[in-house]
Amino acid sequence: MGKRVAVVSGGVGGLGTAICRRLAQDGCRVVAADLAGNEERIAAFRDATNDLDISFAPLDVRDFDACGELVRSIEAEHESLDILVNAAGITRDGTLRKMDKAQWDAVLGVNLGGVFNLCRPAVEGMATRGFGRIVNISSVNGQTGQFGQTNYAAAKAGMHGFTMSLAREVARKGVTVNSVSPGYCATAMVMALPEDIRAGIVANVPVGRLGEPDEIARTVSFLAADDAGFITGANIPVNGGLFMSF
Ligand code: CAA
């Protein structure tokens, strides 16, 4: 069997880069799909990944047609698309009373709309070939809600509803669909928070620190493995104990 082919949306981002590296180290051929605009960011990504089988594909996950084209071009070039990791995510924080429609639409469009836009074309081939691994990067804040994040928490909780529903639909086809819910990790998204707010959050993390992107990537790798076929519709929290439940 050839290499498994993986596509990671938001692949150039804080968690995405670590996920790309980890899947490539697992032996996958990885396509990092992300916005094309920021050349410096992409150059840094190439530097961080050029020792591995990882290529970059420009993609705006809000664009349904572009998502379909990317999926079809990967399937044409690599003869398969086995693993899809939806890691594209943004924040536009603000209390609801200060939130405008653009902040709502942006977060729902990228974080939740993007999941539909990529899963819809990708699941066809996975079901036909009888193998697939879809991993949706949700958030602890989808499980608990967070002050200033009605948009983000709605999208992240919505992702897991999507995960459970699609998991049921494709379970008989060898395709698993799971969520990973990271806590606060050392990424640009979290480092952009005002320092006092971030410190207040970390003070409530039982492990007492931010997570490392590699600690999320490790969990994605676990779910994406060939022998993870009995785990589906699950949500794996990786949050340093910030939110415990069962
Ligand atoms: N709970 C309850 N009350 C709070 C609160 C909280 N967590 N935070 C602030 N308040 C109170 C304030 O004390 C203040 O009260 P008063 O009006 O009586 O003074 C009031 O609510 C307004 O607070 P702010 O002044 O902070 O409001 P703001 O509009 O200036 O800022 C905000 C709002 C931008 C949302 C800011 O609070 C913030 O950045 N919060 C953090 C949001 C957050 O954690 N985002 C996570 C981003 S990282 C991520 O999303 C990754 C992931 O998946 C984990």
PDB file of all heavy atoms in Angstrom, residues 100-134:
ATOM      1  N   ASP A 100     -20.777  42.468  16.070  1.00  0.00           N
ATOM      2  CA  ASP A 100     -21.551  42.786  14.865  1.00  0.00           C
ATOM      3  C   ASP A 100     -21.715  41.522  14.011  1.00  0.00           C
ATOM      4  O   ASP A 100     -21.096  40.488  14.282  1.00  0.00           O
ATOM      5  CB  ASP A 100     -20.930  43.958  14.085  1.00  0.00           C
ATOM      6  CG  ASP A 100     -19.516  43.678  13.624  1.00  0.00           C
ATOM      7  OD1 ASP A 100     -19.179  42.485  13.413  1.00  0.00           O
ATOM      8  OD2 ASP A 100     -18.736  44.635  13.473  1.00  0.00           O
ATOM      9  N   LYS A 101     -22.537  41.637  12.977  1.00  0.00           N
ATOM     10  CA  LYS A 101     -22.853  40.455  12.175  1.00  0.00           C
ATOM     11  C   LYS A 101     -21.620  39.931  11.446  1.00  0.00           C
ATOM     12  O   LYS A 101     -21.491  38.723  11.220  1.00  0.00           O
ATOM     13  CB  LYS A 101     -23.984  40.796  11.189  1.00  0.00           C
ATOM     14  CG  LYS A 101     -24.448  39.577  10.405  1.00  0.00           C
ATOM     15  CD  LYS A 101     -25.873  39.676   9.998  1.00  0.00           C
ATOM     16  CE  LYS A 101     -26.318  38.647   8.966  1.00  0.00           C
ATOM     17  NZ  LYS A 101     -25.525  37.456   8.812  1.00  0.00           N
ATOM     18  N   ALA A 102     -20.707  40.849  11.096  1.00  0.00           N
ATOM     19  CA  ALA A 102     -19.496  40.416  10.394  1.00  0.00           C
ATOM     20  C   ALA A 102     -18.658  39.487  11.280  1.00  0.00           C
ATOM     21  O   ALA A 102     -18.077  38.506  10.789  1.00  0.00           O
ATOM     22  CB  ALA A 102     -18.673  41.635   9.972  1.00  0.00           C
ATOM     23  N   GLN A 103     -18.593  39.785  12.586  1.00  0.00           N
ATOM     24  CA  GLN A 103     -17.829  38.907  13.504  1.00  0.00           C
ATOM     25  C   GLN A 103     -18.481  37.531  13.610  1.00  0.00           C
ATOM     26  O   GLN A 103     -17.812  36.507  13.672  1.00  0.00           O
ATOM     27  CB  GLN A 103     -17.777  39.541  14.911  1.00  0.00           C
ATOM     28  CG  GLN A 103     -16.791  40.676  15.054  1.00  0.00           C
ATOM     29  CD  GLN A 103     -17.015  41.389  16.383  1.00  0.00           C
ATOM     30  OE1 GLN A 103     -17.971  42.141  16.547  1.00  0.00           O
ATOM     31  NE2 GLN A 103     -16.131  41.166  17.336  1.00  0.00           N
ATOM     32  N   TRP A 104     -19.798  37.541  13.660  1.00  0.00           N
ATOM     33  CA  TRP A 104     -20.544  36.269  13.721  1.00  0.00           C
ATOM     34  C   TRP A 104     -20.317  35.465  12.434  1.00  0.00           C
ATOM     35  O   TRP A 104     -19.951  34.290  12.453  1.00  0.00           O
ATOM     36  CB  TRP A 104     -22.035  36.554  13.931  1.00  0.00           C
ATOM     37  CG  TRP A 104     -22.891  35.318  13.856  1.00  0.00           C
ATOM     38  CD1 TRP A 104     -23.566  34.857  12.768  1.00  0.00           C
ATOM     39  CD2 TRP A 104     -23.121  34.369  14.905  1.00  0.00           C
ATOM     40  NE1 TRP A 104     -24.212  33.682  13.071  1.00  0.00           N
ATOM     41  CE2 TRP A 104     -23.956  33.366  14.372  1.00  0.00           C
ATOM     42  CE3 TRP A 104     -22.705  34.280  16.233  1.00  0.00           C
ATOM     43  CZ2 TRP A 104     -24.391  32.267  15.132  1.00  0.00           C
ATOM     44  CZ3 TRP A 104     -23.141  33.184  16.996  1.00  0.00           C
ATOM     45  CH2 TRP A 104     -23.963  32.201  16.443  1.00  0.00           C
ATOM     46  N   ASP A 105     -20.544  36.121  11.290  1.00  0.00           N
ATOM     47  CA  ASP A 105     -20.451  35.422  10.000  1.00  0.00           C
ATOM     48  C   ASP A 105     -19.042  34.897   9.742  1.00  0.00           C
ATOM     49  O   ASP A 105     -18.869  33.795   9.209  1.00  0.00           O
ATOM     50  CB  ASP A 105     -20.855  36.362   8.856  1.00  0.00           C
ATOM     51  CG  ASP A 105     -22.365  36.629   8.835  1.00  0.00           C
ATOM     52  OD1 ASP A 105     -23.107  35.873   9.496  1.00  0.00           O
ATOM     53  OD2 ASP A 105     -22.787  37.590   8.167  1.00  0.00           O
ATOM     54  N   ALA A 106     -18.039  35.681  10.106  1.00  0.00           N
ATOM     55  CA  ALA A 106     -16.655  35.256   9.839  1.00  0.00           C
ATOM     56  C   ALA A 106     -16.340  33.971  10.599  1.00  0.00           C
ATOM     57  O   ALA A 106     -15.800  33.013  10.027  1.00  0.00           O
ATOM     58  CB  ALA A 106     -15.676  36.361  10.243  1.00  0.00           C
ATOM     59  N   VAL A 107     -16.689  33.937  11.870  1.00  0.00           N
ATOM     60  CA  VAL A 107     -16.327  32.778  12.696  1.00  0.00           C
ATOM     61  C   VAL A 107     -17.148  31.546  12.310  1.00  0.00           C
ATOM     62  O   VAL A 107     -16.608  30.443  12.185  1.00  0.00           O
ATOM     63  CB  VAL A 107     -16.458  33.129  14.198  1.00  0.00           C
ATOM     64  CG1 VAL A 107     -16.331  31.881  15.065  1.00  0.00           C
ATOM     65  CG2 VAL A 107     -15.397  34.161  14.570  1.00  0.00           C
ATOM     66  N   LEU A 108     -18.447  31.745  12.098  1.00  0.00           N
ATOM     67  CA  LEU A 108     -19.276  30.593  11.685  1.00  0.00           C
ATOM     68  C   LEU A 108     -18.871  30.110  10.296  1.00  0.00           C
ATOM     69  O   LEU A 108     -18.838  28.906  10.030  1.00  0.00           O
ATOM     70  CB  LEU A 108     -20.765  30.962  11.729  1.00  0.00           C
ATOM     71  CG  LEU A 108     -21.517  30.725  13.043  1.00  0.00           C
ATOM     72  CD1 LEU A 108     -21.697  29.229  13.295  1.00  0.00           C
ATOM     73  CD2 LEU A 108     -20.842  31.357  14.246  1.00  0.00           C
ATOM     74  N   GLY A 109     -18.539  31.049   9.421  1.00  0.00           N
ATOM     75  CA  GLY A 109     -18.190  30.691   8.041  1.00  0.00           C
ATOM     76  C   GLY A 109     -16.907  29.895   7.944  1.00  0.00           C
ATOM     77  O   GLY A 109     -16.844  28.893   7.221  1.00  0.00           O
ATOM     78  N   VAL A 110     -15.897  30.312   8.670  1.00  0.00           N
ATOM     79  CA  VAL A 110     -14.619  29.585   8.629  1.00  0.00           C
ATOM     80  C   VAL A 110     -14.694  28.320   9.480  1.00  0.00           C
ATOM     81  O   VAL A 110     -14.416  27.211   9.010  1.00  0.00           O
ATOM     82  CB  VAL A 110     -13.447  30.480   9.118  1.00  0.00           C
ATOM     83  CG1 VAL A 110     -12.158  29.668   9.237  1.00  0.00           C
ATOM     84  CG2 VAL A 110     -13.246  31.663   8.183  1.00  0.00           C
ATOM     85  N   ASN A 111     -15.052  28.483  10.749  1.00  0.00           N
ATOM     86  CA  ASN A 111     -14.881  27.382  11.706  1.00  0.00           C
ATOM     87  C   ASN A 111     -15.875  26.248  11.482  1.00  0.00           C
ATOM     88  O   ASN A 111     -15.531  25.083  11.661  1.00  0.00           O
ATOM     89  CB  ASN A 111     -15.019  27.902  13.139  1.00  0.00           C
ATOM     90  CG  ASN A 111     -13.952  28.932  13.495  1.00  0.00           C
ATOM     91  OD1 ASN A 111     -13.275  29.481  12.624  1.00  0.00           O
ATOM     92  ND2 ASN A 111     -13.797  29.216  14.762  1.00  0.00           N
ATOM     93  N   LEU A 112     -17.109  26.592  11.111  1.00  0.00           N
ATOM     94  CA  LEU A 112     -18.122  25.544  10.908  1.00  0.00           C
ATOM     95  C   LEU A 112     -18.423  25.343   9.424  1.00  0.00           C
ATOM     96  O   LEU A 112     -18.444  24.200   8.942  1.00  0.00           O
ATOM     97  CB  LEU A 112     -19.402  25.907  11.673  1.00  0.00           C
ATOM     98  CG  LEU A 112     -20.500  24.856  11.706  1.00  0.00           C
ATOM     99  CD1 LEU A 112     -19.990  23.524  12.277  1.00  0.00           C
ATOM    100  CD2 LEU A 112     -21.678  25.355  12.557  1.00  0.00           C
ATOM    101  N   GLY A 113     -18.596  26.425   8.687  1.00  0.00           N
ATOM    102  CA  GLY A 113     -18.835  26.310   7.243  1.00  0.00           C
ATOM    103  C   GLY A 113     -17.690  25.597   6.546  1.00  0.00           C
ATOM    104  O   GLY A 113     -17.903  24.786   5.642  1.00  0.00           O
ATOM    105  N   GLY A 114     -16.478  25.882   6.978  1.00  0.00           N
ATOM    106  CA  GLY A 114     -15.300  25.241   6.373  1.00  0.00           C
ATOM    107  C   GLY A 114     -15.303  23.728   6.545  1.00  0.00           C
ATOM    108  O   GLY A 114     -14.824  22.995   5.669  1.00  0.00           O
ATOM    109  N   VAL A 115     -15.849  23.271   7.656  1.00  0.00           N
ATOM    110  CA  VAL A 115     -15.916  21.825   7.903  1.00  0.00           C
ATOM    111  C   VAL A 115     -16.868  21.173   6.896  1.00  0.00           C
ATOM    112  O   VAL A 115     -16.553  20.146   6.286  1.00  0.00           O
ATOM    113  CB  VAL A 115     -16.362  21.546   9.358  1.00  0.00           C
ATOM    114  CG1 VAL A 115     -16.580  20.055   9.582  1.00  0.00           C
ATOM    115  CG2 VAL A 115     -15.326  22.093  10.339  1.00  0.00           C
ATOM    116  N   PHE A 116     -18.013  21.800   6.698  1.00  0.00           N
ATOM    117  CA  PHE A 116     -18.946  21.282   5.681  1.00  0.00           C
ATOM    118  C   PHE A 116     -18.296  21.316   4.300  1.00  0.00           C
ATOM    119  O   PHE A 116     -18.356  20.335   3.543  1.00  0.00           O
ATOM    120  CB  PHE A 116     -20.236  22.106   5.661  1.00  0.00           C
ATOM    121  CG  PHE A 116     -21.116  21.785   4.474  1.00  0.00           C
ATOM    122  CD1 PHE A 116     -21.906  20.648   4.472  1.00  0.00           C
ATOM    123  CD2 PHE A 116     -21.106  22.604   3.343  1.00  0.00           C
ATOM    124  CE1 PHE A 116     -22.690  20.326   3.361  1.00  0.00           C
ATOM    125  CE2 PHE A 116     -21.887  22.286   2.230  1.00  0.00           C
ATOM    126  CZ  PHE A 116     -22.682  21.141   2.240  1.00  0.00           C
ATOM    127  N   ASN A 117     -17.668  22.454   3.979  1.00  0.00           N
ATOM    128  CA  ASN A 117     -17.151  22.654   2.617  1.00  0.00           C
ATOM    129  C   ASN A 117     -16.080  21.630   2.244  1.00  0.00           C
ATOM    130  O   ASN A 117     -15.956  21.269   1.073  1.00  0.00           O
ATOM    131  CB  ASN A 117     -16.590  24.070   2.479  1.00  0.00           C
ATOM    132  CG  ASN A 117     -17.686  25.120   2.475  1.00  0.00           C
ATOM    133  OD1 ASN A 117     -18.868  24.802   2.295  1.00  0.00           O
ATOM    134  ND2 ASN A 117     -17.310  26.380   2.674  1.00  0.00           N
ATOM    135  N   LEU A 118     -15.304  21.165   3.220  1.00  0.00           N
ATOM    136  CA  LEU A 118     -14.278  20.157   2.911  1.00  0.00           C
ATOM    137  C   LEU A 118     -14.796  18.730   3.087  1.00  0.00           C
ATOM    138  O   LEU A 118     -14.478  17.850   2.282  1.00  0.00           O
ATOM    139  CB  LEU A 118     -13.043  20.373   3.786  1.00  0.00           C
ATOM    140  CG  LEU A 118     -12.054  21.381   3.217  1.00  0.00           C
ATOM    141  CD1 LEU A 118     -11.002  21.752   4.249  1.00  0.00           C
ATOM    142  CD2 LEU A 118     -11.375  20.860   1.940  1.00  0.00           C
ATOM    143  N   CYS A 119     -15.598  18.508   4.118  1.00  0.00           N
ATOM    144  CA  CYS A 119     -16.097  17.135   4.327  1.00  0.00           C
ATOM    145  C   CYS A 119     -17.000  16.705   3.181  1.00  0.00           C
ATOM    146  O   CYS A 119     -16.966  15.536   2.759  1.00  0.00           O
ATOM    147  CB  CYS A 119     -16.884  17.039   5.633  1.00  0.00           C
ATOM    148  SG  CYS A 119     -15.835  17.032   7.092  1.00  0.00           S
ATOM    149  N   ARG A 120     -17.819  17.633   2.690  1.00  0.00           N
ATOM    150  CA  ARG A 120     -18.806  17.267   1.660  1.00  0.00           C
ATOM    151  C   ARG A 120     -18.136  16.625   0.435  1.00  0.00           C
ATOM    152  O   ARG A 120     -18.528  15.527   0.040  1.00  0.00           O
ATOM    153  CB  ARG A 120     -19.648  18.495   1.287  1.00  0.00           C
ATOM    154  CG  ARG A 120     -20.655  18.256   0.183  1.00  0.00           C
ATOM    155  CD  ARG A 120     -21.746  17.282   0.637  1.00  0.00           C
ATOM    156  NE  ARG A 120     -22.623  16.883  -0.455  1.00  0.00           N
ATOM    157  CZ  ARG A 120     -22.367  15.883  -1.298  1.00  0.00           C
ATOM    158  NH1 ARG A 120     -21.250  15.176  -1.197  1.00  0.00           N
ATOM    159  NH2 ARG A 120     -23.222  15.576  -2.246  1.00  0.00           N
ATOM    160  N   PRO A 121     -17.118  17.252  -0.162  1.00  0.00           N
ATOM    161  CA  PRO A 121     -16.470  16.570  -1.280  1.00  0.00           C
ATOM    162  C   PRO A 121     -15.571  15.410  -0.849  1.00  0.00           C
ATOM    163  O   PRO A 121     -15.465  14.412  -1.563  1.00  0.00           O
ATOM    164  CB  PRO A 121     -15.646  17.676  -1.957  1.00  0.00           C
ATOM    165  CG  PRO A 121     -15.447  18.724  -0.926  1.00  0.00           C
ATOM    166  CD  PRO A 121     -16.634  18.653  -0.010  1.00  0.00           C
ATOM    167  N   ALA A 122     -14.922  15.499   0.331  1.00  0.00           N
ATOM    168  CA  ALA A 122     -13.933  14.482   0.706  1.00  0.00           C
ATOM    169  C   ALA A 122     -14.578  13.149   1.057  1.00  0.00           C
ATOM    170  O   ALA A 122     -14.007  12.086   0.802  1.00  0.00           O
ATOM    171  CB  ALA A 122     -13.092  14.986   1.882  1.00  0.00           C
ATOM    172  N   VAL A 123     -15.773  13.209   1.611  1.00  0.00           N
ATOM    173  CA  VAL A 123     -16.379  11.978   2.117  1.00  0.00           C
ATOM    174  C   VAL A 123     -16.816  11.044   0.979  1.00  0.00           C
ATOM    175  O   VAL A 123     -16.873   9.824   1.159  1.00  0.00           O
ATOM    176  CB  VAL A 123     -17.548  12.340   3.075  1.00  0.00           C
ATOM    177  CG1 VAL A 123     -18.814  12.679   2.311  1.00  0.00           C
ATOM    178  CG2 VAL A 123     -17.777  11.256   4.087  1.00  0.00           C
ATOM    179  N   GLU A 124     -17.087  11.629  -0.176  1.00  0.00           N
ATOM    180  CA  GLU A 124     -17.499  10.797  -1.334  1.00  0.00           C
ATOM    181  C   GLU A 124     -16.473   9.714  -1.629  1.00  0.00           C
ATOM    182  O   GLU A 124     -16.777   8.527  -1.641  1.00  0.00           O
ATOM    183  CB  GLU A 124     -17.587  11.666  -2.591  1.00  0.00           C
ATOM    184  CG  GLU A 124     -18.832  12.406  -2.898  1.00  0.00           C
ATOM    185  CD  GLU A 124     -20.160  11.760  -2.626  1.00  0.00           C
ATOM    186  OE1 GLU A 124     -20.310  10.523  -2.645  1.00  0.00           O
ATOM    187  OE2 GLU A 124     -21.061  12.554  -2.392  1.00  0.00           O
ATOM    188  N   GLY A 125     -15.247  10.165  -1.893  1.00  0.00           N
ATOM    189  CA  GLY A 125     -14.177   9.229  -2.259  1.00  0.00           C
ATOM    190  C   GLY A 125     -13.822   8.298  -1.112  1.00  0.00           C
ATOM    191  O   GLY A 125     -13.546   7.112  -1.330  1.00  0.00           O
ATOM    192  N   MET A 126     -13.818   8.834   0.101  1.00  0.00           N
ATOM    193  CA  MET A 126     -13.497   7.981   1.262  1.00  0.00           C
ATOM    194  C   MET A 126     -14.478   6.820   1.356  1.00  0.00           C
ATOM    195  O   MET A 126     -14.086   5.664   1.548  1.00  0.00           O
ATOM    196  CB  MET A 126     -13.539   8.807   2.556  1.00  0.00           C
ATOM    197  CG  MET A 126     -12.398   9.795   2.697  1.00  0.00           C
ATOM    198  SD  MET A 126     -12.562  10.717   4.261  1.00  0.00           S
ATOM    199  CE  MET A 126     -11.075  11.716   4.216  1.00  0.00           C
ATOM    200  N   ALA A 127     -15.764   7.122   1.226  1.00  0.00           N
ATOM    201  CA  ALA A 127     -16.792   6.071   1.328  1.00  0.00           C
ATOM    202  C   ALA A 127     -16.646   5.070   0.180  1.00  0.00           C
ATOM    203  O   ALA A 127     -16.750   3.857   0.378  1.00  0.00           O
ATOM    204  CB  ALA A 127     -18.179   6.699   1.323  1.00  0.00           C
ATOM    205  N   THR A 128     -16.360   5.575  -1.010  1.00  0.00           N
ATOM    206  CA  THR A 128     -16.214   4.685  -2.170  1.00  0.00           C
ATOM    207  C   THR A 128     -15.005   3.773  -2.005  1.00  0.00           C
ATOM    208  O   THR A 128     -15.069   2.574  -2.308  1.00  0.00           O
ATOM    209  CB  THR A 128     -16.056   5.528  -3.465  1.00  0.00           C
ATOM    210  OG1 THR A 128     -17.151   6.426  -3.537  1.00  0.00           O
ATOM    211  CG2 THR A 128     -16.011   4.654  -4.707  1.00  0.00           C
ATOM    212  N   ARG A 129     -13.890   4.328  -1.498  1.00  0.00           N
ATOM    213  CA  ARG A 129     -12.671   3.530  -1.334  1.00  0.00           C
ATOM    214  C   ARG A 129     -12.723   2.654  -0.086  1.00  0.00           C
ATOM    215  O   ARG A 129     -11.898   1.771   0.100  1.00  0.00           O
ATOM    216  CB  ARG A 129     -11.445   4.456  -1.269  1.00  0.00           C
ATOM    217  CG  ARG A 129     -11.096   5.137  -2.594  1.00  0.00           C
ATOM    218  CD  ARG A 129      -9.814   5.956  -2.490  1.00  0.00           C
ATOM    219  NE  ARG A 129      -9.952   7.081  -1.584  1.00  0.00           N
ATOM    220  CZ  ARG A 129     -10.351   8.307  -1.944  1.00  0.00           C
ATOM    221  NH1 ARG A 129     -10.617   8.569  -3.209  1.00  0.00           N
ATOM    222  NH2 ARG A 129     -10.477   9.265  -1.052  1.00  0.00           N
ATOM    223  N   GLY A 130     -13.675   2.947   0.835  1.00  0.00           N
ATOM    224  CA  GLY A 130     -13.830   2.129   2.041  1.00  0.00           C
ATOM    225  C   GLY A 130     -12.841   2.448   3.137  1.00  0.00           C
ATOM    226  O   GLY A 130     -12.620   1.639   4.046  1.00  0.00           O
ATOM    227  N   PHE A 131     -12.249   3.625   3.078  1.00  0.00           N
ATOM    228  CA  PHE A 131     -11.351   4.049   4.162  1.00  0.00           C
ATOM    229  C   PHE A 131     -11.329   5.559   4.270  1.00  0.00           C
ATOM    230  O   PHE A 131     -11.194   6.254   3.252  1.00  0.00           O
ATOM    231  CB  PHE A 131      -9.905   3.557   3.957  1.00  0.00           C
ATOM    232  CG  PHE A 131      -8.995   3.980   5.093  1.00  0.00           C
ATOM    233  CD1 PHE A 131      -8.878   3.185   6.232  1.00  0.00           C
ATOM    234  CD2 PHE A 131      -8.295   5.185   5.042  1.00  0.00           C
ATOM    235  CE1 PHE A 131      -8.073   3.589   7.303  1.00  0.00           C
ATOM    236  CE2 PHE A 131      -7.492   5.597   6.119  1.00  0.00           C
ATOM    237  CZ  PHE A 131      -7.377   4.799   7.240  1.00  0.00           C
ATOM    238  N   GLY A 132     -11.422   6.057   5.492  1.00  0.00           N
ATOM    239  CA  GLY A 132     -11.263   7.500   5.718  1.00  0.00           C
ATOM    240  C   GLY A 132     -11.127   7.813   7.196  1.00  0.00           C
ATOM    241  O   GLY A 132     -11.617   7.075   8.056  1.00  0.00           O
ATOM    242  N   ARG A 133     -10.426   8.888   7.470  1.00  0.00           N
ATOM    243  CA  ARG A 133     -10.281   9.392   8.845  1.00  0.00           C
ATOM    244  C   ARG A 133     -10.515  10.895   8.796  1.00  0.00           C
ATOM    245  O   ARG A 133      -9.744  11.620   8.150  1.00  0.00           O
ATOM    246  CB  ARG A 133      -8.862   9.130   9.379  1.00  0.00           C
ATOM    247  CG  ARG A 133      -8.479   7.657   9.468  1.00  0.00           C
ATOM    248  CD  ARG A 133      -9.082   7.030  10.723  1.00  0.00           C
ATOM    249  NE  ARG A 133      -8.724   5.628  10.849  1.00  0.00           N
ATOM    250  CZ  ARG A 133      -9.496   4.614  10.418  1.00  0.00           C
ATOM    251  NH1 ARG A 133     -10.657   4.849   9.833  1.00  0.00           N
ATOM    252  NH2 ARG A 133      -9.109   3.381  10.597  1.00  0.00           N
ATOM    253  N   ILE A 134     -11.577  11.353   9.440  1.00  0.00           N
ATOM    254  CA  ILE A 134     -11.835  12.798   9.521  1.00  0.00           C
ATOM    255  C   ILE A 134     -11.669  13.208  10.980  1.00  0.00           C
ATOM    256  O   ILE A 134     -12.239  12.578  11.885  1.00  0.00           O
ATOM    257  CB  ILE A 134     -13.246  13.137   8.997  1.00  0.00           C
ATOM    258  CG1 ILE A 134     -13.362  12.764   7.511  1.00  0.00           C
ATOM    259  CG2 ILE A 134     -13.558  14.620   9.213  1.00  0.00           C
ATOM    260  CD1 ILE A 134     -14.751  12.956   6.907  1.00  0.00           C
TER     261      ILE A 134
END
